[in-house]
Amino acid sequence: MEPIIATRDLKKVYRVGKVDVPALRGVDLLVQEGEFVAVVGPSGCGKSTLLHVLGGLTRPTSGHVLVDGNDFITMTDSDRTKFRRHKIGFVFQRFNLLPTLSARHNIALAQHIQGNGFNPHRFDAVVEMLGIKEKLHHRPFALSGGEQQRVAIARAVICEPKILLADEPTGNLDTENSQIVLNMMRRLNRSFRQTILMITHNPEAAAVADRIIRMRDGRVISD
């Protein structure tokens, strides 16, 4: 079976003034469809850059990155944007919810942006699984941090992306809410076979994944 994510000798170099700063130094990575993978490592090791490259947000300097059979190196910016809209969901440390909209409308907006209209069956299934059915009429300021992150996850997966990329999804949460969010992501992975790649510096968060990939200095040092 072809992996849903594959990188080979993936490199990313940033230009800072007159100095080249390597963020990725030849990363080889395979992720199968339906896997839950955690990428861990110290700050500055390249894990967030890796997520941005895999999400089509940042163009790599060299190497190959294939996501669902598409090589981001050969795609135009426009093509990557369209691909990202339909195939990839993002969850970040900051919840990035629209403060003037209710939880329901924050989630439903993602379906409208994709262009397929509102799907009530998918909506009901996702909010039920994430345990936010009773919170849908609340605006973000009336929700706890854990509830806001669950709304953000619902928004990310409502359009049935093949891949969910999560960058420190529990970074702004206390221990109890972190565990709730991680359990919900595990349920999404098991019930919907949602492929998840999660960046984290927290060993306890990484422990919920099927695999733990460790990075240091822009390289994978263990898998």
Side-chain angles (χ1 to χ4, degrees):
M1 183 172 62
E2 288 293 322
I4 195 167
I5 295 173
T7 73
R8 186 172 72 253
D9 197 25
L10 185 63
K11 297 178 181 178
K12 177 63 181 179
V13 178
Y14 292 103
R15 186 75 171 175
V16 180
K18 296 183 179 180
V19 179
D20 288 336
V21 179
L24 300 176
R25 303 171 184 251
V27 172
D28 295 326
L29 175 68
L30 296 176
V31 177
Q32 299 297 332
E33 187 168 1
E35 277 195 293
F36 188 164
V37 178
V39 180
V40 302
S43 297
C45 71
K47 57 186 187 295
S48 289
T49 297
L50 176 63
L51 182 138
H52 290 164
V53 171
L54 296 179
L57 299 171
T58 299
R59 182 184 286 274
T61 301
S62 63
H64 292 279
V65 51
L66 279 77
V67 181
D68 198 26
N70 294 268
D71 192 339
F72 281 177
I73 289 285
T74 62
M75 293 172 73
T76 66
D77 290 343
S78 176
D79 287 339
R80 285 203 315 277
T81 298
K82 291 176 183 176
F83 179 87
R84 190 167 61 239
R85 185 182 301 154
H86 291 277
K87 299 288 187 178
I88 301 175
F90 293 92
V91 177
F92 298 102
Q93 183 172 340
R94 294 184 177 181
F95 315 126
N96 297 327
L97 300 177
L98 296 175
T100 60
L101 297 183
S102 66
R104 175 184 292 276
H105 288 115
N106 264 283
I107 299 167
L109 182 62
Q111 287 187 317
H112 289 294
I113 289 174
Q114 192 193 55
N116 291 335
F118 181 67
N119 181 337
H121 301 295
R122 173 71 176 183
F123 184 93
D124 290 345
V126 168
V127 300
E128 186 76 41
M129 176 171 291
L130 291 171
I132 51 176
K133 189 174 181 180
E134 305 303 320
K135 302 291 183 177
L136 293 177
H137 64 285
H138 291 298
R139 293 183 183 181
F141 69 84
L143 301 173
S144 70
E147 289 165 347
Q148 289 187 62
Q149 189 60 294
R150 280 183 273 163
V151 172
I153 293 170
R155 181 185 57 189
V157 301
I158 196 67
C159 295
E160 302 184 62
K162 284 201 166 186
I163 300 164
L164 179 66
L165 299 178
D167 193 355
E168 299 284 3
T170 61
N172 283 336
L173 304 179
D174 59 26
T175 301
E176 181 180 358
N177 278 304
S178 293
Q179 196 58 54
I180 291 171
V181 165
L182 291 168
N183 289 341
M184 296 299 178
M185 292 177 67
R186 180 81 254 187
R187 287 185 65 193
L188 280 170
N189 170 254
R190 288 177 174 170
S191 298
F192 292 160
R193 283 196 50 80
Q194 177 73 64
T195 304
I196 300 175
L197 190 142
M198 176 178 67
I199 302 298
T200 184
H201 68 276
N202 185 342
E204 293 178 2
V208 306
D210 300 319
R211 289 167 56 200
I212 299 177
I213 294 171
R214 302 183 190 280
M215 292 188 66
R216 182 174 295 160
D217 298 329
R219 296 184 175 91
V220 172
I221 59 171
S222 71
D223 182 351

